[in-house]
Amino acid sequence: MTAQEREQLIKDINVLLHQAYDSTLDEIHAYLKRIDDLDDEEDLKAIQEARIDIRINGTVSWDEIQKEIRNEINKDVA
C-alpha cells in the first residue's frame, strides 16, 4: 500500500467513524484493541522463540553479521 493509498483509506475510515453510532464505535475500539493485543502477543512469542533459538544454537558474532552484509552487497553489485 502506498502512502497516498494509506492516507485515503484513513480519510475514508474517518468519514465512516464520524457517521457511526456510539455503540458501533465501542465495538470498533474493542476490535482494534484486540488486534493490537494479538500483535503484542505475536511479538512476545517471536522474542521467546528467538531466545530459545539463541540458547540452543548460540548467537552470531557482529563480525559474522558484517561479513554477511558485505557478501550480500557484493552479490547485488555483481
Side-chain angles (χ1 to χ4, degrees), residues 1-75:
M1 178 178 294
T2 67
Q4 185 176 6
E5 290 170 331
R6 178 181 169 82
E7 185 177 322
Q8 184 59 49
L9 182 58
I10 291 170
K11 286 179 182 178
D12 293 345
I13 291 170
N14 207 8
V15 168
L16 294 172
L17 288 174
H18 284 287
Q19 296 172 357
Y21 293 110
D22 289 344
S23 61
T24 303
L25 291 175
D26 288 339
E27 290 177 32
I28 292 169
H29 180 263
Y31 181 70
L32 291 174
K33 179 68 175 133
R34 182 65 185 138
I35 290 171
D36 191 44
D37 291 346
L38 288 173
D39 287 345
D40 290 346
E41 288 174 19
E42 289 174 5
D43 290 345
L44 289 174
K45 183 178 177 184
I47 290 168
Q48 291 170 343
E49 289 172 355
R51 286 180 179 163
I52 291 169
D53 183 60
I54 288 170
R55 277 190 226 121
I56 293 170
N57 299 315
T59 60
V60 178
S61 73
W62 178 241
D63 290 336
E64 290 177 50
I65 293 171
Q66 288 176 320
K67 184 178 176 182
E68 286 180 26
I69 291 171
R70 281 192 298 274
N71 286 340
E72 287 301 316
I73 291 172
N74 290 337
K75 287 180 188 176

